[in-house]
Amino acid sequence: MKQNIKQNRSLTFRRYSRKAYALFSSLGREVRIGVLSVAMLGGVSLQQALAQQPQAMQSADDETTEVELSEVDVVGSRAPLSQGLTSRQVNLITAKKVETAPAHSVNDLLKTAVGIDVRQRGEMGIQTDISIHGGTFDQICILLNGVNISNPHTGHLAADFPVNTHDIERIEIVEGAAARLFGTSAFSGAINIVTKTDSVPHASASVRGGSHGTFGASAAANYSTSKADNRLSVGYNRSDGARQNSDFDRLNAFYSSNIGTSLANINIQAGLSNQKYGANTFYSAAYPNQWEANRRFLVSAKAETKGKIHFSPGVYWNRTTDHFQLIRNTHTAENFHRTDVYGLNLNAHFDWLAGRTAIGSEFRSEGILSTNLGRPLDSTKFVSIYGEDERKYTCKDNRTNISIYAEHNILLQKFTISVGAVANMNSALDNKLNIYPGIDVAYRPTNAWRIYANWNMALRMPTFTDLYYKSPTNQGNVGLKPEETSTAQIGARWFGGNISAQVQGFWCEGRNMIDWVMYHEDDIFHSTGFELTNCGIETNVNINLRKWCGLQSIGLGYTFINQTRHDDQKIYKSNYALEYLRHKFVGTLNHNIWRNLTAEWTVRWQQRMGSYIKYNDGKSTGQLVDYEPYALLDVKLQWQEKRVNFYAECTNLTNKLYYDYGNIPQPGIQAFAGIEIKL
């Protein structure tokens, strides 16, 4: 067993050799295997835990048949459990996928996840909406290293990440309601971005450019001491835009520090993103020349104590400012918004004879100052807008949310059962206490098989945009009720050496599901709620070809969704909830071309339900046009040396004309190239 012991750190094993003495040398101690942290339980041995790791890969060239472990500590439960032991299914976009995929942003990476719908108006993550299993962009919880950074202003801004793709270690995706894990905002699922940590000091820099005046540059550096690992990265991207009024300019920075002491492990992070962009037909195709600027700042600190009872306190603050113009460079329907979210939580978990128990609580305050959203302020209480000499915030709203969590995990040799609930009280609901329970079960009949099922409930409060937004084409609704859902999943995964496969069925029953709709041809969009049921099936197959004839890996995935609305109200046009993906297929092929030159091909085919009103030169034709299915082919070529990586990529190779949102044609064929240098 190869060991690496660092002062004031956990015992670290890079590989596990399956020797008989391995278990006894680690009993009762905190162990770190690769990047997997496990605390030994009375009923679960290290040998059993390793046997369940889906990421474990045996080396064909190693006569000792050692097992190499990749990242497996995931967010599938309130208490930390490895991916092999958690009862909740967590899908991963791994570090290898992040490196090889033809993707420029987190949002581009999520397009390769077959259960996720990524709709974009711009490029490189600008104006992107993300949803899971037929839900809407407001119904997912976005986390950065486990910290909730979701935006109560609008889910349109949820995908504004302060990190670059080279900062990402992996992306964890939880599908289905997960309120007892992440709070009530995890309505149809959650996405957790996990950034890199490295104890080896190094630095890197990259530059890229390509079609439509696109340019990007980034730099990152790691610095470590005996007690702390620190990482700082900055990035800048800009483009003239592939379509009219789709230019953008974006800057982001991110800092993280992981501190280890004899009493606790501490994580501190801070992020900044600042972007300006042409918001082509953002809220209405009647105004194709919209413009928007967003700035986000976030900071958080959390810790986990050591000992028999692990206490995990945390605190965070997110601020987002937004400047919107309905007609660019004018004051027409111009809006300013400032959203502040404060959070304070305390969690604890401990092991005993019956398994692992976790309890916790969170206080979260969400507030907005605006020229449009919220309750009107008395003129004596107007708040000045930073950077604007004469403009002031004239509206305000805020709400507080208190959540109490409890979960128990029963860990047996072949079963993991997780039962829990969240008790939630929100000041916008007359401080009524609501309880949302859930249960997850996983059965492992053999080392290769994993069969799982779960049922969970969740609630989502309307965003401030849902409640208050008003423009010449939109009208919010202060009478909206919170969305409620009950979701269930059942599925199986199989890991057979070089092949892994998964199939699952899912069902989501939603009440008061919020959408923006038109009731007739001459209407404007109103925010309203109705009952919806989404059900479907998702499948994935991944094959590791071990460089057979130059081929390295193949991935295939497909999702089918059927939706039913349970009322007879006639709706002329839905903007979001009823425009779901009926079909989505993703295929990937990674292969070696010559020496260090590799290629990854990605094909994506999807069919969206719903339709859009066709506009010509900003004027409605009154014609409803169904979304047409489309297929896209992307490729990325890489030449990798020890410290230098050259790459070239081409997206939409077939130059397909397609729409994610009506009246906004997406870019045709585009080419980019770049270089990354590691020091």
Side-chain angles (χ1 to χ4, degrees):
M1 184 177 287
K2 302 179 182 180
Q3 302 184 19
N4 175 27
I5 302 176
K6 192 172 183 179
Q7 184 179 4
N8 294 326
R9 301 295 178 87
S10 305
L11 181 63
T12 300
F13 300 112
R14 297 300 180 191
R15 292 172 180 259
Y16 180 67
S17 60
R18 297 185 181 272
K19 302 297 189 224
Y21 57 79
L23 171 63
F24 297 101
S25 66
S26 56
L27 277 174
R29 305 182 64 179
E30 182 176 317
V31 180
R32 185 175 174 87
I33 309 172
V35 294
L36 162 66
S37 296
V38 293
M40 298 311 299
L41 302 179
V44 181
S45 71
L46 182 60
Q47 183 81 13
Q48 293 166 349
L50 291 170
Q52 307 301 334
Q53 297 307 327
Q55 299 295 326
M57 298 180 60
Q58 294 184 356
S59 172
D61 300 323
D62 193 340
E63 294 181 357
T64 61
T65 320
E66 294 179 336
V67 177
E68 185 76 34
L69 294 180
S70 61
E71 59 282 308
V72 286
D73 211 19
V74 295
V75 293
S77 60
R78 293 289 302 179
L81 289 174
S82 70
Q83 188 184 25
L85 291 178
T86 182
S87 55
R88 190 68 184 260
Q89 181 60 38
V90 180
N91 295 324
L92 301 181
I93 297 178
T94 64
K96 180 64 175 178
K97 188 67 177 179
V98 172
E99 179 183 321
T100 61
H104 313 306
S105 66
V106 175
N107 307 313
D108 290 335
L109 289 168
L110 291 171
K111 293 176 184 178
T112 65
V114 72
I116 294 183
D117 181 9
V118 179
R119 304 180 72 179
Q120 63 183 33
R121 296 179 179 87
E123 303 167 62
M124 293 186 64
I126 304 296
Q127 286 187 278
T128 299
D129 294 336
I130 302 170
S131 59
I132 296 176
H133 282 178
T136 70
F137 55 89
D138 283 321
Q139 294 175 349
I140 63 172
C141 179
I142 303 293
L143 303 107
L144 183 60
N145 293 314
V147 178
N148 189 342
I149 61 171
S150 301
N151 195 318
H153 170 194
T154 172
H156 285 309
L157 304 181
D160 176 18
F161 300 101
V163 296
N164 301 300
T165 54
H166 64 243
D167 294 321
I168 299 172
E169 178 64 34
R170 66 185 183 274
I171 300 175
E172 302 171 348
I173 303 167
V174 177
E175 298 171 339
R180 64 187 179 87
L181 302 182
F182 313 113
T184 55
S185 60
F187 190 82
S188 63
I191 297 172
N192 183 35
I193 311 299
V194 180
T195 60
K196 294 178 179 178
T197 58
D198 197 340
S199 59
V200 178
H202 64 85
S204 64
S206 66
V207 63
R208 61 183 296 273
S211 301
H212 314 297
T214 299
F215 172 79
S218 61
N222 279 67
Y223 175 71
S224 297
T225 66
S226 61
K227 293 186 177 181
D229 298 328
N230 304 279
R231 180 179 176 87
L232 174 66
S233 72
V234 294
Y236 171 77
N237 291 281
R238 59 92 54 205
S239 176
D240 295 331
R243 303 295 183 189
Q244 179 185 1
N245 194 38
S246 62
D247 59 298
F248 67 86
D249 190 286
R250 188 173 194 272
L251 174 70
N252 59 271
F254 181 72
Y255 168 77
S256 66
S257 179
N258 292 287
I259 304 168
T261 71
S262 59
L263 298 177
N265 294 319
I266 303 169
N267 173 263
I268 299 171
Q269 64 181 9
L272 170 69
S273 64
N274 188 18
Q275 59 187 19
K276 302 175 182 179
Y277 49 93
N280 193 325
T281 68
F282 198 166
Y283 287 105
S284 171
Y287 298 90
N289 202 32
Q290 299 170 56
W291 177 89
E292 190 152 9
N294 313 126
R295 178 178 295 170
R296 166 181 280 191
F297 176 73
L298 60 90
V299 61
S300 69
K302 61 180 181 178
E304 181 176 340
T305 64
K306 301 177 181 180
K308 293 184 177 181
I309 300 179
H310 296 255
F311 292 97
S312 301
V315 61
Y316 60 88
W317 170 50
N318 306 329
R319 168 170 287 185
T320 303
T321 60
D322 176 76
H323 179 194
F324 173 76
Q325 294 175 343
L326 188 65
I327 301 176
R328 190 168 184 166
N329 298 322
T330 73
H331 297 301
T332 303
E334 184 178 33
N335 293 317
F336 294 87
H337 316 281
R338 192 185 84 189
T339 308
D340 285 286
V341 178
Y342 303 88
L344 177 66
N345 54 64
L346 176 61
N347 300 289
H349 70 270
F350 54 90
D351 303 327
W352 53 301
L353 291 177
R356 175 170 291 183
T357 298
I359 56 175
S361 61
E362 180 180 49
F363 171 86
R364 180 180 172 94
S365 173
E366 300 174 341
I368 190 169
L369 290 169
S370 174
T371 58
N372 186 293
L373 307 179
R375 297 179 176 87
L377 288 168
D378 183 274
S379 59
T380 61
K381 297 181 179 180
F382 288 173
V383 179
S384 298
I385 301 173
Y386 179 79
E388 299 289 328
D389 294 335
E390 299 181 1
R391 300 297 300 270
K392 295 180 181 293
Y393 295 117
T394 58
C395 301
K396 179 181 180 180
D397 197 11
N398 66 279
R399 59 198 185 201
T400 57
N401 192 82
I402 298 175
S403 299
I404 301 173
Y405 304 90
E407 179 188 84
H408 181 65
N409 295 277
I410 302 172
L411 304 170
L412 305 175
Q413 183 173 0
K414 293 188 176 183
F415 279 96
T416 300
I417 303 172
S418 178
V419 181
V422 55
N424 178 260
M425 184 169 60
N426 194 292
S427 61
L429 295 177
D430 299 324
N431 293 314
K432 294 181 179 179
L433 187 66
N434 298 281
I435 298 177
Y436 299 92
I439 180 170
D440 309 325
V441 179
Y443 171 54
R444 301 173 292 272
T446 69
N447 290 347
W449 280 98
R450 173 187 174 92
I451 301 171
Y452 59 90
N454 63 70
W455 170 80
N456 289 273
M457 297 183 67
L459 167 143
R460 182 185 79 85
M461 296 295 297
T463 65
F464 293 126
T465 298
D466 292 332
L467 295 169
Y468 298 111
Y469 188 70
K470 184 178 181 180
S471 77
T473 58
N474 297 270
Q475 177 62 59
N477 181 359
V478 295
L480 285 174
K481 297 180 180 180
E483 296 179 324
E484 292 184 300
T485 188
S486 177
T487 70
Q489 294 176 334
I490 183 169
R493 299 194 72 173
W494 178 73
F495 307 95
N498 296 322
I499 302 176
S500 65
Q502 174 188 358
V503 60
Q504 72 170 1
F506 56 87
W507 172 81
C508 309
E509 184 76 28
R511 293 185 297 172
N512 306 318
M513 305 293 273
I514 297 172
D515 193 11
W516 290 78
V517 303
M518 296 174 63
Y519 293 106
H520 53 80
E521 182 179 345
D522 299 322
D523 199 8
I524 64 174
F525 282 100
H526 304 267
S527 59
T528 188
F530 38 71
E531 294 187 10
L532 281 179
T533 298
N534 290 321
C535 59
I537 187 170
E538 177 181 327
T539 61
N540 282 284
V541 177
N542 292 281
I543 306 172
N544 180 8
L545 298 172
R546 294 188 178 276
K547 299 184 179 179
W548 177 72
C549 294
L551 301 178
Q552 296 182 354
S553 64
I554 294 176
L556 301 171
Y558 170 72
T559 294
F560 168 80
I561 299 176
N562 182 69
Q563 185 181 85
T564 304
R565 183 163 63 94
H566 302 286
D567 63 72
D568 298 325
Q569 174 69 52
K570 183 179 179 181
I571 292 177
Y572 176 72
K573 171 74 176 72
S574 162
N575 229 16
Y576 305 115
L578 305 184
E579 295 190 349
Y580 67 98
L581 283 184
R582 170 65 64 87
H583 303 279
K584 181 177 179 180
F585 168 81
V586 178
T588 60
L589 171 64
N590 188 282
H591 65 95
N592 179 264
I593 298 176
W594 177 70
R595 295 183 61 184
N596 295 341
L597 181 63
T598 61
E600 174 144 321
W601 301 80
T602 300
V603 60
R604 180 164 51 97
W605 175 82
Q606 59 188 46
Q607 180 181 14
R608 185 175 304 282
M609 303 304 291
S611 57
Y612 60 93
I613 303 172
K614 186 176 181 180
Y615 277 71
N616 289 328
D617 298 324
K619 295 183 179 180
S620 172
T621 66
Q623 178 185 0
L624 282 177
V625 179
D626 292 338
Y627 285 99
E628 294 184 358
Y630 64 83
L632 301 177
L633 178 63
D634 305 330
V635 63
K636 181 175 183 178
L637 304 175
Q638 288 194 96
W639 181 278
Q640 292 182 302
E641 299 287 350
K642 184 177 181 180
R643 298 190 180 277
V644 181
N645 177 25
F646 299 93
Y647 64 91
E649 51 192 58
C650 194
T651 59
N652 195 1
L653 275 165
T654 60
N655 202 34
K656 175 69 176 178
L657 176 65
Y658 69 101
Y659 296 84
D660 278 340
Y661 279 107
N663 298 286
I664 312 172
Q666 290 301 302
I669 185 171
Q670 299 185 97
F672 308 93
I675 181 175
E676 181 180 4
I677 301 174
K678 300 177 181 180
L679 305 175

